Amino acid sequence: EIVMTQSPATLSVSPGERVTLSCRASQSISNNLAWYQHKPGQAHRLLIYGAFTRATGVPARFSGSGSGTEFTLTISSLQSEDFAVYYCQQYNTWPPITFGQGTRLEIK
Amino acid sequence: QVQLVQSGGGVVQPGRSVRLSCAVSGVTFSAYGMHWVRQAPGKGLEWVAFISYDESNKYYSDSVKGRFTISRDNSKNTLFLQMNSLRPEDTAAYYCAKDNSYYSSGSLDYWGQGTLVTVSS
């Protein structure tokens, strides 16, 4: 099973800041990585798949990069609606599909 | 727009059964694989099961294999998860999710709102 590790667990940032979230895979997953956003009471939202392809309707301030074992999600200028929990997920080798533990973005 | 509306769940005693449903609209349900994912209180997301568009392939996590059964009714655009022999560690919010591609890549582009299953005596 591929283990996904996200860092940091929590990030306190101010609106307008640029933020980078990290995700590491325990073995190479090529570019078969997705990022999701989750807000309380809402459905999870696919942001990025294929490591860097934005899903339909996702604003351009969200960008993904990386391949192999190291990946990042960058939000270029944080908006109030971006404060949420972010998960990475590998789908290179499944079953099982595996997720990171999540990074919570909090308002500073 | 694509919608996944979940039902079922609730409080159930250990060893008992429950069935979850996920009604899908706004997309050709019969063309896509579907998944179940869960999140226990205070824990991360755990993938549970997958079913291909035509039910020819079904996969399960080791933690539920032999106890849970995923199925679908393409005539009713509905996904199911039959959960038997429930354990306290199965307590979680359960989410249905649609695969992002026709060939079931494993990325999940639409999710249900979740339904809580609590296993307790």
Side-chain angles (χ1 to χ4, degrees):
Chain A
E1 173 177 320
I2 296 176
V3 177
M4 305 301 292
T5 303
Q6 290 185 244
S7 60
T10 305
L11 199 52
S12 296
V13 293
S14 301
E17 286 187 14
R18 177 187 179 92
V19 64
T20 299
L21 284 60
S22 296
C23 176
R24 174 177 293 177
S26 60
Q27 64 190 74
S28 178
I29 58 170
S30 185
N31 65 341
N32 295 307
L33 181 104
W35 288 95
Y36 301 90
Q37 177 192 67
H38 188 220
K39 300 178 189 178
Q42 296 188 18
H44 292 74
R45 180 189 186 191
L46 175 65
L47 297 175
I48 301 285
Y49 62 95
F52 56 82
T53 302
R54 276 189 300 276
T56 303
V58 175
R61 65 181 182 272
F62 291 92
S63 63
S65 64
S67 66
T69 61
E70 301 285 342
F71 301 87
T72 59
L73 174 70
T74 299
I75 309 173
S76 60
S77 178
L78 271 170
Q79 306 298 303
S80 58
E81 61 267 29
D82 299 336
F83 291 94
V85 181
Y86 292 83
Y87 297 95
C88 64
Q89 173 231 336
Q90 71 81 21
Y91 53 96
N92 185 70
T93 303
W94 67 283
I97 285 168
T98 50
F99 295 85
Q101 287 296 99
T103 292
R104 181 181 303 276
L105 280 188
E106 297 182 335
I107 301 176
K108 181 184 286 185
Chain B
Q1 73 277 25
V2 180
Q3 287 192 306
L4 284 70
V5 178
Q6 297 183 225
S7 58
V11 180
V12 59
Q13 293 180 327
R16 303 299 291 266
S17 301
V18 70
R19 188 174 84 156
L20 307 183
S21 300
C22 173
V24 180
S25 60
V27 68
T28 305
F29 177 70
S30 60
Y32 292 93
M34 297 292 297
H35 302 256
W36 288 97
V37 176
R38 69 183 180 182
Q39 185 167 26
K43 299 293 183 66
L45 295 169
E46 178 189 13
W47 172 83
V48 173
F50 164 82
I51 185 169
S52 60
Y53 71 100
D54 61 353
E55 296 192 90
S56 61
N57 291 297
K58 300 181 183 181
Y59 306 131
Y60 300 91
S61 67
D62 287 345
S63 59
V64 308
K65 199 174 298 182
R67 300 187 299 121
F68 290 11
T69 301
I70 189 171
S71 62
R72 63 192 297 160
D73 185 340
N74 284 344
S75 69
K76 296 182 179 178
N77 293 342
T78 303
L79 174 73
F80 303 100
L81 185 68
Q82 178 67 41
M83 306 165 63
N84 298 334
S85 302
L86 282 161
R87 304 167 180 167
E89 55 265 36
D90 295 320
T91 295
Y94 285 77
Y95 300 95
C96 59
K98 170 188 162 296
D99 201 279
N100 188 25
S101 71
Y102 291 117
Y103 55 88
S104 297
S105 66
S107 60
L108 313 174
D109 59 352
Y110 291 97
W111 295 57
Q113 292 277 53
T115 187
L116 187 59
V117 174
T118 302
V119 184
S120 173
S121 54

